[in-house]
């Protein structure tokens, strides 16, 4: 009898955890496992703010996929997914195609620009290793060029971050640590640097604990960030952005660096492939299958799971993507063993920690509020745990964060 083929798209948190769990759960005689990913490496999306600011080298953020998969059990295909043909159970890749019996879509998310003019062209994103490397180099280039010009262009030292969600705040934490180093390295007066964070909501980190939000805001203000709250980015132009409150006439902020960190949507492949989605995310069934498709699971940033307590979607996080990956592996193992009962997904929220640079953070862990060194230590524990879940102690030793203050 032909063995069923399980195809996993994306080697991020969700896809890679699904793969390593499946390679343990399933015998080589039971099914073929194929993992497809754009790159031959996995990157820690949750560390990209560090690579983007230049406080961590981008090679520290990534590791080879071959380090964590067993090549005797998993066939790794390095290629880019173009579209999924659900009727023919086939994935179209840039360099070929692959058929599946069971499909796991774990292609992550993309920046949500809400159709705001100029953002795609003129703003930087914190999305993957390449975008982080580009942003870091761009900032450094502005500092390096500043003193080269006879007529000083202060806009080179003006950086705007759009969105004060977790990504924006974590990036600002790293950036404010990096700026003094850049000033020293390129003989630039620290007081000339202008960092502005523009947030449309009435508060930084909307929905997070107000006491912890105050801690983050005062820490970042002390390090030179100016917050414009209740103010939205309306347009990006070369070298500037237009911002405004509500319907007020927008005004211009000049900046050679604009970082868009104002939210994510599901991978464009989802809508292109004809799945019914909200902002590119599919509201999955309790067993994490796409509605109407018994053999297609969707997890991570391209999936949407409702928090029944508040009747709103859970925010897309690595934490939820990894928990989904574990469940999907078990559910696929059940399906290929002809068990009809699949497990339902319940999110076990262990808390949230938001870093404010390498040595500071805020967080709520198991219901307890933390700030400063304790929170920062917890953040490293969380980061190391993700490595451990995918690659065990060996990966933690290679890539883990151990600096204690
Ligand atoms: P990802 O981990 O993004 O992986 C998607 C994979 O698919 C990638 O390997 C990508 O290369 C691949 N891929 C994409 N498109 C294609 C294609 N067409 N073909 C082939 N391969 C493709 N969450 C937390 O829980 N805790 C945190 O502390 C945290 N910090 C964050 C910090 C930052 C700066 C950012 C940006 C996000 C953070 N998040 C955090 C959110 C978290 O990173 C995401 O929710 C998580 O990465 C989603 O996992 P995923 O498996 O869906 O996708
Ligand atoms: P987000 O959606 O959480 O925050 C985006 C912010 O941008 C919001 O505060 C929103 O009000 C603001 N915004 C939207 N449009 C705007 C505009 N036009 N002008 C100005 N501000 C605007 O997005 P994110 O911070 O990128 O996070 C994405 C996901 O990743 C979330 O689920 C988040 O929880 C997760 N994440 C978690 C961590 C962590 O746990 N430490 C870190 C980073 C990201």
């Amino acid at each position: 009898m032909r063995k069923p083929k399980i195809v996993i798209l994306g080697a991020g948190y969700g896809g890679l955890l699904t793969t390593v769990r499946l390679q343990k759960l399933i015998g080589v005689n039971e099914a073929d496992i194929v993992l497809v990913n754009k790159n031959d490496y996995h990157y820690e999306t949750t560390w990209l703010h560090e690579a983007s600011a230049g406080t961590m080298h981008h090679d520290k953020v990534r590791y080879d996929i071959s380090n964590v998969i067993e090549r005797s059990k998993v066939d790794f295909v390095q290629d880019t997914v173009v579209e999924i043909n659900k009727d023919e159970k086939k994935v179209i890749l840039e360099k070929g195609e692959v058929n599946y019996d069971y499909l796991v879509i774990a292609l992550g998310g993309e920046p949500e620009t809400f159709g705001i003019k100029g953002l795609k062209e003129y703003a930087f994103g914190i999305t993957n290793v390449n975008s982080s490397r580009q942003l870091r180099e761009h900032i450094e280039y502005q500092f390096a060029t500043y003193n080269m010009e006879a007529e000083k262009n202060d806009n080179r030292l003006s950086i705007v971050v759009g969105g004060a969600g977790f990504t924006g705040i974590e990036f600002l934490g790293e950036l404010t640590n990096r700026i003094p180093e850049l000033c020293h390295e390129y003989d630039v007066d620290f007081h000339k640097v202008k960092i502005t964070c523009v947030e449309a909501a009435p508060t930084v980190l909307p929905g997070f604990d107000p006491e912890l939000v105050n801690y983050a805001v005062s820490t970042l203000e002390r390090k030179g960030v100016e917050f414009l709250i209740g103010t939205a980015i309306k347009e990006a132009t070369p070298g500037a952005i237009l911002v405004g409150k509500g319907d007020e006439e927008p005004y211009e902020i000049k900046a050679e660096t604009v970082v868009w960190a104002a939210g994510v949507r599901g991978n464009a492949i989802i809508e292109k492939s004809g799945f019914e989605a909200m902002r590119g995310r599919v509201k999955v069934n309790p067993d994490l299958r796409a509605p109407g498709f018994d053999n297609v699971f969707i997890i991570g940033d391209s999936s949407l799971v409702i928090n029944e307590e508040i009747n709103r979607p859970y925010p897309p996080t690595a934490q939820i993507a990894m928990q989904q990956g574990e469940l999907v592996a078990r559910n696929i193992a059940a399906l290929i063993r002809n068990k009809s009962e699949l497990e339902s997904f319940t999110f076990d929220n262990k808390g949230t920690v938001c870093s404010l640079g390498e040595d500071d953070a805020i967080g709520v862990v198991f219901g307890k509020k933390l700030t400063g060194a304790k929170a920062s230590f917890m953040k490293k524990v969380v980061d190391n745990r993700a490595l451990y879940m995918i690659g065990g102690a060996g990966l933690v030793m290679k890539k883990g964060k151990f600096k204690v203050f």
Side-chain angles (χ1 to χ4, degrees), residues 186-375:
Y186 294 102
D187 307 315
V188 168
D189 178 1
F190 176 79
H191 298 100
K192 293 267 180 202
V193 180
K194 190 174 165 216
I195 305 174
T196 315
C197 178
V198 183
E199 168 55 55
T203 168
V204 161
L205 296 175
F208 205 49
D209 180 274
E211 197 187 329
L212 298 178
V213 170
N214 284 343
Y215 180 97
V217 170
S218 55
T219 301
L220 293 172
E221 281 181 339
R222 215 172 38 245
K223 288 163 106 176
V225 179
E226 185 192 347
F227 285 96
L228 301 179
I229 302 302
T231 307
I233 292 188
K234 312 254 176 167
E235 188 177 337
T237 58
I241 51 157
L242 294 174
V243 302
K245 285 181 190 262
D247 293 334
E248 278 176 20
E249 188 61 28
Y251 63 93
E252 192 180 62
I253 301 176
K254 291 211 177 290
E256 285 299 325
T257 309
V258 175
V259 182
W260 182 246
V264 288
R265 57 182 287 117
N267 192 303
I269 303 284
I270 294 284
E271 282 172 347
K272 192 178 172 193
S273 305
F275 287 100
E276 200 176 305
M278 285 176 261
R279 287 171 58 184
R281 303 172 69 198
V282 176
K283 188 175 169 221
V284 286
N285 292 337
D287 56 20
L288 301 180
R289 283 187 283 192
F293 298 93
D294 281 352
N295 57 346
V296 180
F297 293 83
I298 306 182
I299 61 174
D301 283 5
S302 288
S303 72
L304 191 148
V305 177
I306 299 290
N307 177 351
E308 301 292 352
E309 278 174 29
I310 53 170
N311 197 27
R312 291 188 57 184
Y314 282 112
T317 61
Q319 189 182 171
I320 202 165
M322 292 176 85
Q323 290 182 19
Q324 289 176 318
E326 296 211 281
L327 183 103
V328 162
R330 290 200 298 274
N331 276 349
I332 290 181
L335 281 175
I336 62 169
R337 288 165 191 160
N338 295 320
K339 294 193 180 134
S340 53
E341 284 283 297
L342 296 193
E343 285 180 59
S344 291
F345 181 71
T346 317
F347 179 44
D348 176 16
N349 190 351
K350 301 198 187 311
T352 302
V353 188
C354 174
S355 66
L356 302 170
E358 197 196 17
D359 49 359
D360 203 353
I362 52 172
V364 180
V365 181
F366 296 119
K368 202 168 173 267
K369 284 192 227 180
L370 298 173
T371 56
K374 274 190 195 158

Side-chain angles (χ1 to χ4, degrees), residues 12-14 37-38 45-46 81 107-108 267 300-301 316-319 379:
Y13 291 100
N37 196 60
K38 210 179 256 185
T45 311
T46 61
V81 177
L107 292 167
N267 192 303
D301 283 5
T317 61
Q319 189 182 171
K379 178 78 179 152

Side-chain angles (χ1 to χ4, degrees), residues 139-149 156 186 188:
I139 294 174
E140 196 152 338
Y141 178 79
Q142 300 308 314
F143 276 74
T145 310
Y146 183 71
N147 278 330
M148 297 281 292
E149 294 169 327
R156 290 200 185 279
Y186 294 102
V188 168

